[in-house]
Amino acid sequence: MTQIIAVHSFRGGTGKSNLTANLATSLGLQGQRVAIFDTDLASPGVHVLFGYTHEDGDLCLNDFLQEDAAIKDCVHEVTPAPVKAAKGHVFLAPASMDSDRIARLLREGYQVEKLNDAIFALADSLKLDYVIVDTHPGINEETLLSAAIADCLVMVMRPDSQDYLGTAVAIEVAQRLDVANIQLVMNKLPSQFSRDEVRLRMQESYEVSIGSILPLSEDLLTLASGGLAVLEFPNHTWSTAVRDLCKSLMEASVSA
């Protein structure tokens, strides 16, 4: 059965899309078939990490949500070579970067139920093991309805007072929606911070599982979204932590 993972954050700038892309790649390296829906429609970016560029005639998620395009025509395979070698696959439903289309979507909105139906339909047609939904930050109707169908919600935050407060609200809302498995990820932790103290604060602040604590890294910053850290820096502490999160999510899906 396909597992749906929603990756969310209360605020922008947490590295949510970067984590989404690297998590999908890590699952692919385990031989899994994975699709990403980039529903951060106001500021899409997952496609950049995979080096996907829109060609004339290519359809995107906007064409499905606001036109009559079939969802299968809006999904593109972006499997990196090492993932192919591992017998895995990564597919992407990218969102449009065109400013007019972004403005139209923000103005008119879209039916989230249509998107959710498409997720299930694509999972069936492509025989997917996982669907990862990269959400729009904050609390809004679209995000809530996407989270409601997720088997797991990965909440991404930074060691920032506003993030601590906002994440508490987001988690409370998710719990009211009966999201069974919530994994909290601390990203961009400066080296000056004590991991043990941060973990303790997270445990005291939220009654959810701590999925991972990821360091702030100059190495990753040099990628500038131009690649996937788990492939470019496979032995890096950040990459190791993402792979551990991947394994944890896979184990949880088996026991579900």
Side-chain angles (χ1 to χ4, degrees):
M1 179 180 252
T2 305
Q3 293 291 300
I4 300 174
I5 301 171
V7 182
H8 184 55
S9 63
F10 184 78
R11 300 170 68 211
T14 61
K16 171 177 59 64
S17 295
N18 187 47
L19 178 60
T20 295
N22 280 277
L23 184 58
T25 302
S26 297
L27 288 166
L29 289 169
Q30 296 299 314
Q32 304 296 297
R33 296 175 63 85
V34 188
I36 303 170
F37 279 72
D38 189 352
T39 67
D40 190 356
L41 299 163
S43 53
V46 176
H47 62 283
V48 177
L49 290 146
F50 286 99
Y52 171 80
T53 55
H54 183 87
E55 303 290 344
D56 289 342
D58 284 355
L59 300 181
C60 63
L61 196 53
N62 303 62
D63 294 295
F64 169 76
L65 294 173
Q66 294 195 303
E67 308 295 344
D68 295 324
I71 187 61
K72 64 181 179 62
D73 296 327
C74 302
V75 175
H76 310 276
E77 184 161 6
V78 292
T79 309
V83 175
K84 288 183 180 179
K87 308 300 182 185
H89 294 271
V90 180
F91 303 91
L92 174 64
S96 175
M97 288 287 286
D98 181 81
S99 59
D100 290 337
R101 303 196 71 183
I102 292 174
R104 178 191 168 193
L105 192 137
L106 293 176
R107 183 173 61 250
E108 299 177 2
Y110 65 92
Q111 293 182 332
V112 184
E113 294 83 357
K114 182 179 181 181
L115 173 63
N116 290 353
D117 289 343
I119 289 173
F120 290 115
L122 190 72
D124 185 58
S125 64
L126 292 181
K127 296 180 171 53
L128 297 173
D129 297 299
Y130 293 89
V131 171
I132 304 181
V133 182
D134 183 25
T135 68
H136 183 66
I139 304 296
N140 53 68
E141 181 183 3
E142 293 85 355
T143 295
L144 296 179
L145 291 175
S146 294
I149 67 167
D151 299 291
C152 176
L153 175 64
V154 176
M155 282 293 308
V156 189
M157 62 180 293
R158 294 167 299 179
D160 177 277
S161 295
Q162 292 185 52
D163 275 27
Y164 273 103
L165 293 172
T167 298
V169 175
I171 288 176
E172 182 179 350
V173 171
Q175 289 172 331
R176 290 183 180 181
L177 293 172
D178 295 325
V179 178
N181 182 12
I182 301 175
Q183 298 283 330
L184 187 59
V185 173
M186 176 67 74
N187 195 20
K188 301 184 179 181
L189 183 70
S191 58
Q192 298 92 329
F193 283 59
S194 165
R195 290 174 59 88
D196 291 340
E197 290 180 5
V198 169
R199 179 177 289 275
L200 180 60
R201 181 177 179 183
M202 293 167 70
Q203 290 171 337
E204 291 176 342
S205 300
Y206 318 104
E207 295 180 356
V208 297
S209 299
I210 309 300
S212 190
I213 298 178
L214 306 172
L216 178 65
S217 169
E218 290 288 339
D219 294 327
L220 270 61
L221 291 176
T222 61
L223 280 176
S225 297
L228 297 155
V230 293
L231 299 181
E232 299 291 337
F233 301 106
N235 298 319
H236 195 282
T237 305
W238 193 93
S239 301
T240 300
V242 171
R243 287 196 299 270
D244 289 344
L245 176 62
C246 165
K247 292 176 183 177
S248 175
L249 293 173
M250 290 181 67
E251 290 171 359
S253 67
V254 171
S255 60

